[in-house]
């Protein structure tokens, strides 16, 4: 039966999933575990969604190099497969009741665990939204520290630990972008991580210059960009948002959020293009040259978009476009529209 102190620690670990700084929250979670369970060392590992390698998020008693090296070797052992298939985290001290490989009889215990001064340990597989996202491991210098009650207590907080370890856990909820709309997490070198339960945005499949735009946004160092973009014959509201860097995610990771829409205010695609160029400060003459139009045609487009948006001037229309993301920018004129 868990004590009041153990129950309180488990509750506090659950509340940590509300924190956005998952690295700090993960470290606090291990400190809470130390109040509830015996441990001389502990580590929380995430699985890099691109490479599949295990990366340390937080640790007590281990250096980052030691825990990641041990994790790299541990996943190649039969004991790792035993951990993954068990709902109740297995421990070294419960070898006798386990029908799988005897951990104490293996090379990893003899060559890695015992020489490090540990006699008992317990390892839990972290799953979030049906995916294996990491591991939690606790070690003690004493033997027989993790009985069934201790393992059940660890199992009770594994969902919270998994939410902390999952680098994609908050991606779909970032800054109010939750919902049924398509979203993907895009790494700056062009590799894509699909978010669980989401379709991949169609703009990522188009060859209409969006890849160059995404690359340019990454290079600005900005936090957010709102725009309009065509995809599959339709128009979409698109938000690019720099995702907080963390274990398993590159510093240039960008969340792409897409929602189908009609062009606002009844604007035509050409009027949107003229409005975007006007918002960069281009004159009618410069816009005409860039779009291979006559100045008179550009002047007509400006008059039409002013009437449709209800704006009294180009300056007012420009402010509206920037404020509401009524833009289809090109990579060369992106920086002035990016929110810092």
């Amino acid at each position: 039966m868990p004590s009041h102190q153990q129950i309180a620690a488990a509750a506090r670990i659950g509340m940590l999933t509300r924190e956005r700084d998952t690295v700090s929250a993960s470290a606090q979670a291990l400190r809470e575990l130390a109040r509830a369970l015996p441990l001389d060392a502990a580590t929380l590992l995430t699985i890099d969604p691109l490479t599949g390698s295990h990366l340390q998020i937080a640790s007590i008693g281990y250096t980052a190099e030691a825990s990641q090296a041990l994790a790299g070797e541990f996943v190649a052992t039969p004991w790792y497969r035993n951990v993954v298939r068990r709902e109740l985290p297995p421990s070294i001290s419960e070898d006798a009741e386990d029908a799988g490989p005897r951990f104490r009889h293996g090379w990893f215990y003899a060559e890695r665990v015992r020489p490090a001064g540990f006699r008992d340990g317990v390892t839990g597989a972290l799953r979030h939204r049906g995916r294996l996202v990491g591991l939690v491991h606790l070690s003690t210098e004493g033997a027989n520290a993790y009985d069934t009650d201790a393992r059940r207590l660890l199992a009770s907080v594994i969902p919270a630990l998994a939410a902390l370890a999952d680098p994609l856990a908050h991606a779909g909820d970032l800054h109010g972008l939750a919902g049924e709309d398509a979203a993907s997490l895009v790494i700056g070198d062009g590799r894509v991580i699909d978010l669980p339960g989401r379709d991949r945005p169609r703009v990522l499949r188009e060859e209409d210059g969006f890849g160059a735009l995404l690359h340019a946004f990454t290079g600005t160092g900005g936090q957010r960009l709102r725009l309009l973009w065509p995809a599959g014959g339709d128009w979409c509201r698109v938000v690019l948002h720099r995702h907080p860097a963390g274990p398993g995610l590159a510093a240039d990771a960008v969340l792409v959020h897409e929602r189908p829409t009609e062009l606002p205010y009844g604007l035509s695609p050409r009027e949107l293009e003229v409005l975007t160029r006007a918002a960069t400060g281009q004159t009618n003459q410069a816009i005409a040259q860039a779009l291979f139009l006559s100045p008179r045609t550009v002047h007509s487009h400006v008059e039409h978009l002013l009437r449709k948006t209800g704006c009294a001037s180009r300056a007012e229309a420009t402010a509206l476009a920037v404020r509401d993301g009524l833009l289809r920018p090109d990579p060369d004129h992106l920086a002035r529209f990016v929110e810092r």
Side-chain angles (χ1 to χ4, degrees):
M1 177 70 67
S3 67
H4 292 300
Q5 180 180 358
Q6 290 174 322
I7 293 173
R12 286 191 292 266
I13 291 171
M15 293 179 66
L16 289 170
T17 59
R18 302 176 185 177
E19 300 292 329
R20 288 296 181 188
D21 185 351
T22 56
V23 174
S24 176
S26 297
Q28 180 61 34
L30 288 189
R31 290 193 289 271
E32 295 293 345
L33 272 180
R35 298 179 184 180
L37 291 169
L39 65 89
D40 295 303
T43 188
L44 188 65
L45 301 168
T46 185
I47 297 177
D48 185 323
L50 288 173
T51 66
S53 60
H54 289 70
L55 305 174
Q56 177 183 290
I57 306 176
S59 177
I60 295 175
Y62 292 118
T63 65
E65 293 78 12
S67 65
Q68 288 179 203
L70 289 173
E73 292 183 312
F74 178 71
V75 297
T77 67
W79 185 253
Y80 173 71
R81 294 192 290 274
N82 189 35
V83 168
V84 170
R85 69 180 176 85
R86 297 284 293 275
E87 292 186 11
L88 190 63
S91 69
I92 296 174
S93 58
E94 58 103 17
D95 259 352
E97 52 185 272
D98 176 41
R102 297 294 189 264
F103 185 68
R104 261 192 278 237
H105 298 163
W107 70 268
F108 193 81
Y109 179 79
E111 297 179 19
R112 298 290 184 267
V113 178
R114 193 69 181 91
F118 301 120
R119 298 290 302 280
D120 201 3
V122 59
T123 307
L126 306 181
R127 286 185 172 81
H128 190 237
R129 296 172 179 169
R131 295 173 296 118
L132 182 65
V133 298
L135 294 172
V136 59
H137 180 75
L138 315 181
S139 296
T140 61
E141 296 176 359
N144 303 315
Y146 299 113
D147 57 15
T148 300
D149 286 342
R151 291 157 52 215
R152 284 175 177 165
L153 180 64
L154 180 60
S156 72
V157 299
I158 274 182
L161 297 175
L164 292 172
D166 186 359
L168 305 182
H170 302 295
D173 304 325
L174 193 62
H175 290 263
L177 299 184
E180 298 180 356
D181 305 294
S184 288
L185 194 64
V186 181
I187 305 303
D189 63 4
R191 294 177 293 178
V192 176
I193 306 173
D194 293 312
L195 294 179
R198 301 293 183 91
D199 293 328
R200 180 173 294 190
R202 291 178 296 169
V203 294
L204 295 177
R205 305 171 188 163
E206 296 297 317
E207 298 179 358
D208 200 14
F210 189 82
L213 185 84
L214 180 60
H215 179 74
F217 171 75
T218 302
T220 65
Q223 294 299 310
R224 187 171 73 151
L225 174 65
R226 293 170 299 145
L227 63 142
L228 296 163
W229 203 265
D234 300 318
W235 281 88
C236 300
R237 281 193 175 275
V238 180
V239 180
L240 305 182
H241 205 300
R242 188 175 298 278
H243 193 280
L249 286 180
D252 59 355
V254 175
L255 179 71
V256 180
H257 182 270
E258 170 194 287
R259 177 179 298 165
T261 188
E262 300 289 336
L263 283 181
Y265 300 103
L267 294 173
S268 70
R270 180 63 84 183
E271 289 164 353
L272 175 65
E273 194 167 12
V274 170
L275 177 58
T276 300
R277 291 185 174 273
T280 68
Q282 293 182 19
T283 64
N284 282 6
Q285 182 68 35
I287 295 173
Q289 291 177 350
L291 300 181
F292 303 101
L293 301 173
S294 70
R296 181 179 182 83
T297 300
V298 172
H299 180 76
S300 296
H301 284 316
V302 171
E303 286 189 334
H304 292 161
L305 69 87
L306 290 178
R307 184 175 66 252
K308 290 178 178 180
T309 60
C311 294
S313 65
R314 275 175 51 125
E316 186 178 345
T318 293
L320 175 70
V322 174
R323 185 194 71 199
D324 293 347
L326 307 183
L327 305 160
R328 190 195 170 180
D330 62 63
D332 295 333
H333 300 97
L334 195 67
R336 68 176 61 221
F337 302 129
V338 173
E339 300 173 35
R340 304 292 176 175

